[in-house]
Amino acid sequence: MTEVGKARRRKEDARLLTGRTRWTDNLQQPGMLHVAFLRSPMAHARITGVDVSAARELPGVVAVFAGQDVAGEQGSLPCAWPVSDDIVIPEHPPMAVTEVRYTGEIVACVVATDRFKAADALEAIEVDYEPLPPVIDLETALSPDSPKVHETGNQAFSVKITSGDLDAAFRDAPVVIDRTYVQQRLIGAAMEPRAVLVSTDGDTFTMWTSTQIPHVLRVMLAMVTGVPEHRLRVIAPDVGGGFGTKLQVTAEEVLCLLLCRKLGKPVKWAESRTEGNLAVHQGRGQLQHIRLAADADGRIRGLQVDLLADVGAYLMLVTPGVPMLGATMFNGIYKMDAYEFACKGVFTTKMPTDAYRGAGRPEATFAIERIMDELAAELRLDPIEVRRRNWIKHEEFPYTTIAGLTYDSGNYEAATDKALQLFGYDKLRAEQADRRDRGDPVQLGIGVSTFTEMCGLAPSRMLGEANYGAGGWEHASVRMLPTGKVEVVTGTSPHGQGHVTSWSQIAADALGVPFEDVTVVHGDTAISHKGMDTYGSRSLVVGGVAVLQACEKVREKARKLAAHLLECSPDDLDFAGGAFKVKGTDSQTTIQELALAAFAAHNLPEGAEARLDSDATFDPVNYSFPHGTHLTAVEVDRETGHVKIRSYVAVDDVGKVVNPLIVEGQVHGGIAQGIGQALYEEAVYDAEGNLLTATLADYLLPSAADLPDFVTDRTETPATSNPLGAKGVGEAGTIASTPAVVNAIVDALRPHGVRDVQMPCTPERVWRALEGGRA
């Protein structure tokens, strides 16, 4: 049996699950100092004075700095995605100098001999603030008389995309659905809070940091701080989760590097959970106005999207690009005649938003899947039927959508049919009708989400057309060691995805060596010198393919050496099971034997190098487009508003599967996060801009006890954009599950006048929606 497709347990788990890890906060350096940051308690204010003198006198304190002390060297945190010509990218100092624009912004720091002395000394720093009016509401922020977050105003950018004749699509349309949906802000609570450690030997620096992007970070730190790139090494050791929140160049990383340079000693910072909730960029944050025009039979004519995106106080690394990642996905899996997408980015005095699992795609899928249910209700059609009448059929692939993307492969019919069978759809509909007839106080709702996403963020040409500041290629190296063992060096940087296991499976098959003979090296820019890192479900479909192609180059080098040693033409050799065999004979040699022969170099072909090692850089021609159908049944108590998920079925198509066990884990985790948005999670600010959900006592995360057993399965339509045939899986569950759950809740309550429940659908909000429906 080949390794690809086998449900291998992860190599990483024995170490990770037993705590034998190298988290950044576990690392120590001789003479290491500790950093603590003082953060603004105000959402918007001028800084009129900072007195650090008392803090400097405290025992154990080595240095104290305010923004003015580093103003000339700290630079500005980067934004790499200017999405429009009119975009405003304000200066974003890592440490505020004259003005703070969100609660949690850094205003001073203490360096001390231990973390407790550093934290205690923060209380001795006196900061004088002149309060300024906060800017909280998205719509009022754009009014002419609104207070300004920046002198340029509160509009960060404006983008409009049109395709087809929208006026004609809506003119005399028998059905027009008009809805507004709110995508609440979310806090990405990764298992490991952030930490940074920087050391120096005089003119070179090494940074260990809990990041998804060591390679990107190295380039950006060099640009921001002026530290020459070749004098900077970035290491992402074991990283405990990210979900996009560690896809960032952070103020803490920049400042720790500067502090190390100033003091000439190692410095470390590690955040508390509360500090992280306050200071890690947030996700989502959109107000969506959606209009859909359809014929009387339910066929979609046109879709109009008017979006306000809450970018927070600054534009961070890919902040403006997040809504644009959804711009081409609001049409989902559906055919239509016309489409318009308009988006305004809005500055507010809140923590900046940026990538969070799915980044723009969950927001788009939520809107189209919610309004498809509204269309079904308007026409008294089954939600599945209205989707069948509009989706792209399997024989129509490849299909260029109204938004301009070319979906290469898919079979929405097969995934939906399998999901309906596993779910017992007709039986549940019958139970629902019975409960309604009986007036049961606990109503049954059935939620549908049929989705696709654009992922495997990669085609450099397409990213360039979108004005993204980097390419999307990925790099890998494969080293054949003299003893026949294999080292794979990957430019992707895992934070829980199982790269070591999956890459070992790919290499084992490609080279014909045992799975156990492959090791994978990652996350260190001095060892893995090239890479574009991990986000957007790109690791396998870009990085995994780079591994495959590097293995193929190793194999071709080995073929030439084998032909030389076996005294035949390379064309006369068959390769199978890790051995080159001369056709029609018993003469053969293994690739592992050839590794030793290359190392010895006693008998090499003319001009050959004494190595089989090879590397590859892969840049796909297109994104990948996984898809699936998720169905859920919920019970809603009309007296209390309590929602219980009774059953959940997910059938996903992620193309060729390398490791089914890892795919299952990715889907399960994604569904849990999507349900979290639907039912539990929200970053809440008060009218003064204070974050009210800075602790896990206030920000509710779902636990295992809150979630049902998930029934999962797959269909398989291989991708045509990469030789593995793989599609991304890391974000699929999060994208599909949120609209499925909210559709189910509204489905349960629609006979009682409810058309929407704003997320998170807490018991109070469900109860209030019912009261509104009765009214």
Side-chain angles (χ1 to χ4, degrees):
M1 180 180 178
T2 61
E3 282 293 335
V4 170
K6 187 182 291 186
R8 282 278 191 184
R9 289 186 177 273
R10 302 196 319 174
K11 288 183 175 182
E12 303 93 319
D13 284 350
R15 181 171 53 80
L16 294 175
L17 297 180
T18 56
R20 297 195 300 273
T21 56
R22 297 179 68 250
W23 311 121
T24 301
D25 193 27
N26 290 348
L27 303 177
Q28 303 291 324
Q29 288 282 301
M32 185 173 72
L33 301 174
H34 295 262
V35 183
F37 294 108
L38 183 67
R39 299 180 182 276
S40 169
M42 307 191 72
H44 199 195
R46 289 190 184 91
I47 300 173
T48 58
V50 182
D51 185 353
V52 301
S53 57
R56 285 178 174 150
E57 301 302 317
L58 294 176
V61 172
V62 175
V64 186
F65 299 100
Q68 291 286 359
D69 300 318
V70 296
E73 58 185 313
Q74 68 175 339
S76 178
L77 296 177
C79 172
W81 205 334
V83 295
S84 67
D85 294 336
D86 69 347
I87 193 167
V88 176
I89 304 179
E91 287 292 306
H92 185 183
M95 191 184 300
V97 179
T98 60
E99 191 169 324
V100 291
R101 293 181 171 88
Y102 64 91
T103 55
E105 190 168 1
I106 297 171
V107 295
C109 68
V110 173
V111 185
T113 52
D114 69 49
R115 67 200 313 169
F116 305 106
K117 289 185 175 68
D120 290 344
L122 295 179
E123 298 181 7
I125 300 174
E126 295 184 5
V127 183
D128 294 326
Y129 296 102
E130 179 187 322
L132 296 170
V135 178
I136 304 300
D137 182 73
L138 284 178
E139 292 178 295
T140 58
L142 293 178
S143 64
D145 56 349
S146 171
K148 294 180 180 180
V149 181
H150 299 280
E151 285 304 311
T152 52
N154 295 335
Q155 182 169 302
F157 58 87
S158 178
V159 177
K160 193 169 190 178
I161 300 169
T162 59
S163 181
D165 189 338
L166 194 73
D167 289 339
F170 276 86
R171 189 182 306 121
D172 301 324
V175 182
V176 174
I177 311 289
D178 192 320
R179 296 289 186 270
T180 299
Y181 301 122
V182 177
Q183 286 280 326
Q184 78 271 36
R185 281 171 162 256
L186 301 177
I187 296 173
M191 183 182 296
E192 178 204 16
R194 297 176 300 156
V196 183
L197 167 61
V198 186
S199 69
T200 181
D201 63 5
D203 63 349
T204 62
F205 299 87
T206 300
M207 175 183 287
W208 292 264
T209 178
S210 179
T211 183
Q212 298 174 221
I213 53 167
H215 298 90
V216 173
L217 179 61
R218 182 193 190 202
V219 174
M220 291 297 179
L221 286 173
M223 291 181 174
V224 170
T225 67
V227 174
E229 187 180 355
H230 67 298
R231 300 291 187 189
L232 179 59
R233 177 184 183 185
V234 176
I235 302 172
D238 293 320
V239 176
F243 312 120
T245 61
K246 295 174 184 174
L247 165 58
Q248 196 55 262
V249 180
T250 68
E252 295 84 1
E253 287 163 330
V254 171
L255 292 172
C256 283
L257 178 57
L258 294 180
L259 292 170
C260 180
R261 184 168 69 178
K262 277 179 170 292
L263 302 174
K265 291 186 176 182
V267 299
K268 184 165 83 170
W269 165 78
E271 71 182 359
S272 67
R273 179 63 68 182
T274 299
E275 186 179 22
N277 281 10
L278 193 67
V280 172
H281 77 244
Q282 296 174 2
R284 313 291 188 248
Q286 291 184 0
L287 184 64
Q288 304 172 322
H289 183 200
I290 314 296
R291 294 177 69 234
L292 182 144
D295 288 333
D297 62 359
R299 187 189 72 84
I300 302 171
R301 298 173 60 158
L303 180 68
Q304 184 178 32
V305 178
D306 192 357
L307 199 68
L308 294 183
D310 185 348
V311 301
Y314 299 98
L315 301 183
M316 297 192 76
L317 191 63
V318 296
T319 300
V322 171
M324 299 311 299
L325 287 171
T328 52
M329 296 308 301
F330 276 88
N331 52 287
I333 64 173
Y334 306 113
K335 298 178 285 188
M336 58 191 69
D337 302 324
Y339 172 62
E340 180 181 279
F341 170 89
C343 175
K344 290 180 180 178
V346 183
F347 288 119
T348 60
T349 52
K350 292 181 258 183
M351 182 68 205
T353 55
D354 208 303
Y356 177 75
R357 198 170 191 171
R361 281 73 51 81
E363 297 93 313
T365 299
F366 181 86
I368 187 63
E369 288 303 291
R370 282 289 295 113
I371 207 163
M372 289 300 289
D373 260 34
E374 296 302 296
L375 176 61
E378 179 74 18
L379 296 175
R380 299 183 182 275
L381 290 171
D382 184 276
I384 296 289
E385 177 58 29
V386 81
R387 287 165 170 82
R388 288 189 193 278
R389 294 183 185 186
N390 286 284
W391 66 34
I392 304 158
K393 296 179 173 59
H394 71 274
E395 64 268 16
E396 295 177 293
F397 289 95
Y399 186 90
T400 300
T401 72
I402 190 69
L405 293 179
T406 299
Y407 297 173
D408 62 331
S409 67
N411 191 328
Y412 308 139
E413 303 99 305
T416 302
D417 288 345
K418 181 174 280 192
L420 292 171
Q421 180 182 5
L422 291 169
F423 190 61
Y425 187 80
D426 292 339
K427 185 177 179 180
L428 284 165
R429 283 293 183 199
E431 180 186 342
Q432 180 185 59
D434 178 63
R435 287 195 182 201
R436 287 177 176 175
D437 290 344
R438 290 188 287 106
D440 195 320
V442 178
Q443 287 290 296
L444 181 67
I446 297 169
V448 179
S449 176
T450 49
F451 82 102
T452 189
E453 64 154 322
M454 170 196 72
C455 67
L457 293 180
S460 296
R461 175 184 54 80
M462 297 173 78
L463 291 177
E465 291 170 355
N467 214 28
Y468 180 59
W473 50 266
E474 195 49 76
H475 183 77
S477 301
V478 174
R479 304 168 181 161
M480 288 296 300
L481 304 181
T483 56
K485 310 305 182 186
V486 180
E487 285 182 343
V488 173
V489 184
T490 176
T492 61
S493 185
H495 39 281
Q497 295 91 338
H499 292 182
V500 172
T501 302
S502 297
W503 283 206
S504 295
Q505 291 178 268
I506 292 169
D509 273 359
L511 299 174
V513 301
F515 171 78
E516 294 76 13
D517 284 359
V518 184
T519 189
V520 179
V521 181
H522 57 80
D524 184 341
T525 61
I527 299 172
S528 169
H529 68 286
K530 290 181 66 176
M532 291 304 298
D533 304 315
T534 297
Y535 42 86
S537 296
R538 69 185 301 274
S539 293
L540 177 62
V541 299
V542 192
V545 175
V547 172
L548 175 63
Q549 292 185 337
C551 288
E552 290 170 344
K553 290 183 178 181
V554 169
R555 205 169 61 218
E556 288 311 301
K557 281 188 176 182
R559 177 183 294 275
K560 293 176 183 177
L561 179 56
H564 176 74
L565 296 177
L566 297 173
E567 298 180 342
C568 67
S569 166
D571 295 335
D572 291 335
L573 292 173
D574 287 329
F575 181 78
F580 291 96
K581 184 176 181 180
V582 181
K583 297 174 183 178
T585 75
D586 293 330
S587 181
Q588 69 173 31
T589 183
T590 69
I591 197 168
Q592 293 181 300
E593 291 169 340
L594 292 167
L596 183 59
F599 169 75
H602 295 159
N603 186 11
L604 297 180
E606 187 69 29
E609 296 179 316
R611 66 188 187 104
L612 300 180
D613 306 349
S614 296
D615 63 358
T617 300
F618 178 64
D619 198 342
V621 297
N622 195 5
Y623 303 108
S624 76
F625 298 95
H627 68 84
T629 297
H630 288 217
L631 302 170
T632 187
V634 304
E635 293 181 330
V636 183
D637 189 325
R638 289 185 291 133
E639 296 177 352
T640 65
H642 177 71
V643 175
K644 177 185 176 182
I645 299 179
R646 196 172 92 176
S647 62
Y648 195 104
V649 168
V651 175
D652 290 286
D653 192 320
V654 297
K656 183 71 174 177
V657 172
V658 172
N659 187 317
L661 200 60
I662 288 176
V663 168
E664 289 284 298
Q666 289 283 338
V667 171
H668 282 205
I671 293 171
Q673 269 182 276
I675 291 173
Q677 178 174 8
L679 295 180
Y680 302 106
E681 299 181 46
E682 182 176 20
V684 179
Y685 287 84
D686 67 14
E688 299 303 314
N690 299 303
L691 180 65
L692 302 181
T693 52
T695 75
L696 294 186
D698 304 299
Y699 187 86
L700 183 58
L701 293 171
S703 71
D706 300 309
L707 300 171
D709 289 334
F710 304 134
V711 176
T712 60
D713 208 334
R714 292 183 300 279
T715 57
E716 184 175 307
T717 52
T720 63
S721 56
N722 67 78
L724 277 174
K727 303 178 182 181
V729 67
E731 299 158 312
T734 303
I735 290 170
S737 57
T738 306
V741 172
V742 177
N743 277 342
I745 294 168
V746 175
D747 181 60
L749 303 180
R750 198 176 293 278
H752 304 280
V754 175
R755 293 196 315 183
D756 190 33
V757 180
Q758 185 176 321
M759 297 186 293
C761 301
T762 61
E764 180 187 358
R765 283 183 173 168
V766 172
W767 183 85
R768 290 190 182 279
L770 274 164
E771 290 298 297
R774 293 187 184 104

